[in-house]
Amino acid sequence: MTVASILKEKPDRLISVQEDSTLSDVAEILTRENIGAVPVLDAKGDMTGIISERDIVRQIAREGAGVLARTVSSIMTRNVLCCAPEDSVSSTMAMMTQRRFRHLPVRSNGRIIGMISIGDVVKRRVEDAEREAASLRDYIVRG
């Protein structure tokens, strides 16, 4: 199974923000969309970073709620690793686990086409394991 198979099950839209969005705006988007992170895109649609709810919460803990008026560019992660649609789910899960990423942008032909979460990846792996177990049971029963 590949990352593309995960993307097929997700809504066909990319939720993103721009560098000049405020942290308050991002928190509102994350809450409304029930997601944990968004890519930060420039006017041409190129990714310049990523920001997560964890980034915002940590900044509030350091400096107080006044940081919500600051822009995304002030705290976003700039050097973002991405996966590709053709990457395997197992290798992507290994990378996310090893690097402790909860969210990963998916890049194809230089453009961000989606985001996956560790929850998406784990769900797919569990479904694959259940399907394999059912196939093995069927094989054993039928001989």
Side-chain angles (χ1 to χ4, degrees), residues 19 23 59 67 70-76 78:
E19 287 187 14
L23 298 181
Q59 204 64 33
V67 301
R70 288 175 51 190
T71 62
V72 168
S73 63
S74 67
I75 71 164
M76 70 181 188
R78 292 184 183 275

Side-chain angles (χ1 to χ4, degrees), residues 103-121:
H103 303 91
L104 196 59
V106 182
R107 185 187 314 260
S108 179
N109 298 319
R111 308 293 287 174
I112 300 303
I113 61 166
M115 289 275 287
I116 60 170
S117 71
I118 192 67
D120 297 328
V121 173

Side-chain angles (χ1 to χ4, degrees), residues 1 17 20 25 28 55 61 75 86 99-100 109-110 119 124:
M1 286 293 176
V17 297
D20 61 354
D25 292 338
E28 183 180 317
D55 296 330
I75 71 164
E86 61 272 8
R99 300 283 186 115
R100 302 179 74 94
N109 298 319
R124 174 48 51 94

